[in-house]
Amino acid sequence: MKIFETHAHYDDAKFPDRDQVLKACHEAGIQYIVNCASDIASCKTTLQMIETYPWVYGAIGVHPHSASEMDEDNLDRLYNYLTSSDKVVAVGEIGLDYHYDFSPRDVQQDWFIEQIELAKELELPIIVHTREALEDTYNILNDYSYGLTGGIIHSYNGSLEMAERFVELGFHIGIGGMVTFPKVRKVIETVKALPLDRLVVETDSPYLAPVPKRGERNDSRNLPYIVEKIAEIRGISAEEVAQATMDNACRLFGVQS
Ligand code: NI
């Protein structure tokens, strides 16, 4: 079973053994990995990784947690990073996080919008982080996503109704380890009802390890647990889920399958 990992953070300090883990993932059938940057420093690490590993692609952007580090100079830096390699396939991860509020909300919103504009200019999809900020995220995307090359609402755990509204705007929904957790009725409803061509799979490694690895350091070799859970919910084979989510991700990111 070949799987496309659409969201991981191998630049994270929890991966001192990154080289071994990335190779082991690829050998285990993780055909492609998109490494998502979260601040200016991790953009640089992401660029080094995509140069080193043929199966790793990059999303370049600044997470809402780090929105406060953004200014005009760093926006120029982002532009240069985004245009420095064909293997940069998205702007991300960007968005809003009202759970931690590590950056003021107006600052998060401003740089979310700036980076959406950058994605439109460069014709790249976006990878969106949203936590306790679904309404504002939707409103900004509704106002600014016209002309955008789509994107992913990552680690989605909102309602089916909200997921359908994001899909109407042209977005894919990223399903991660949460789908394997107990009491996630909304996620299961969403996975069951959305068209299969709108779903992609992700781990968000090193975070959010699926059952039965919950609490451990996550890596992309745990994707089969997520794929199998989606297959069970939809009553189709894991192979079919792996293939469909692979096709969806390849189409979105412009990667040859
Ligand atoms: Ni992430």
Side-chain angles (χ1 to χ4, degrees):
M1 188 158 71
K2 301 280 187 207
I3 306 178
F4 195 128
E5 161 76 279
T6 60
H7 195 116
H9 301 280
Y10 288 108
D11 53 277
D12 194 282
K14 292 195 178 72
F15 289 111
D17 53 345
R18 183 169 78 210
D19 184 65
Q20 279 163 275
V21 175
L22 283 171
K23 286 172 179 162
C25 289
H26 195 55
E27 273 157 30
I30 309 308
Q31 189 151 8
Y32 301 111
I33 295 170
V34 172
N35 196 76
C36 295
S38 49
D39 56 18
I40 293 291
S42 71
C43 289
K44 285 188 224 166
T45 320
T46 299
L47 290 177
Q48 287 160 6
M49 288 168 56
I50 67 182
E51 288 305 309
T52 311
Y53 306 99
W55 60 94
V56 178
Y57 290 78
I60 292 291
V62 171
H63 193 283
H65 287 347
S66 301
S68 295
E69 79 166 4
M70 283 305 289
D71 55 21
E72 288 302 317
D73 286 347
N74 276 337
L75 187 62
D76 285 347
R77 265 179 209 115
L78 271 189
Y79 184 91
N80 291 334
Y81 295 154
L82 281 160
T83 52
S84 67
S85 164
D86 286 346
K87 292 185 73 196
V88 173
V89 293
V91 174
E93 63 179 287
I94 61 175
L96 302 174
D97 193 310
Y98 295 170
H99 178 74
Y100 288 110
D101 277 326
F102 286 159
S103 300
R105 292 184 182 180
D106 59 325
V107 174
Q108 294 187 38
Q109 290 162 11
D110 287 350
W111 289 105
F112 184 28
I113 293 167
E114 281 288 345
Q115 293 181 92
I116 293 169
E117 295 296 346
L118 203 51
K120 285 201 264 192
E121 186 184 335
L122 298 171
E123 298 180 1
L124 288 171
I126 61 176
I127 296 179
V128 178
H129 171 101
T130 175
R131 187 154 183 202
E132 294 175 24
L134 266 179
E135 279 297 331
D136 281 3
T137 302
Y138 177 80
N139 289 334
I140 287 177
L141 292 175
N142 191 38
D143 289 346
Y144 292 92
S145 69
Y146 183 77
L148 185 73
T149 319
I152 296 172
I153 310 299
H154 120 81
S155 197
Y156 186 78
N157 70 346
S159 66
L160 167 61
E161 188 259 338
M162 189 54 115
E164 284 169 337
R165 289 164 73 194
F166 284 119
V167 164
E168 263 172 55
L169 290 182
F171 286 89
H172 287 74
I173 303 297
I175 303 298
M178 241 177 310
V179 72
T180 67
F181 295 177
K183 299 183 193 148
V184 285
R185 184 184 50 81
K186 286 190 295 182
V187 179
I188 289 171
E189 254 173 40
T190 300
V191 164
K192 197 174 208 154
L194 284 190
L196 191 53
D197 69 2
R198 286 288 128 185
L199 300 181
V200 292
V201 292
E202 61 169 64
T203 59
D204 206 15
S205 295
Y207 311 106
L208 274 175
V211 174
K213 305 276 181 174
R214 201 171 174 182
E216 295 176 22
R217 184 184 76 170
N218 200 5
D219 73 53
S220 307
R221 284 172 291 182
N222 291 328
L223 276 169
Y225 297 116
I226 295 163
V227 167
E228 279 155 20
K229 186 69 190 185
I230 296 172
E232 179 195 316
I233 293 166
R234 294 186 68 106
I236 58 178
S237 72
E239 283 292 341
E240 207 175 325
V241 173
Q243 187 63 52
T245 53
M246 167 80 68
D247 293 344
N248 299 342
C250 285
R251 223 181 304 117
L252 180 66
F253 294 123
V255 170
Q256 205 83 37
S257 63

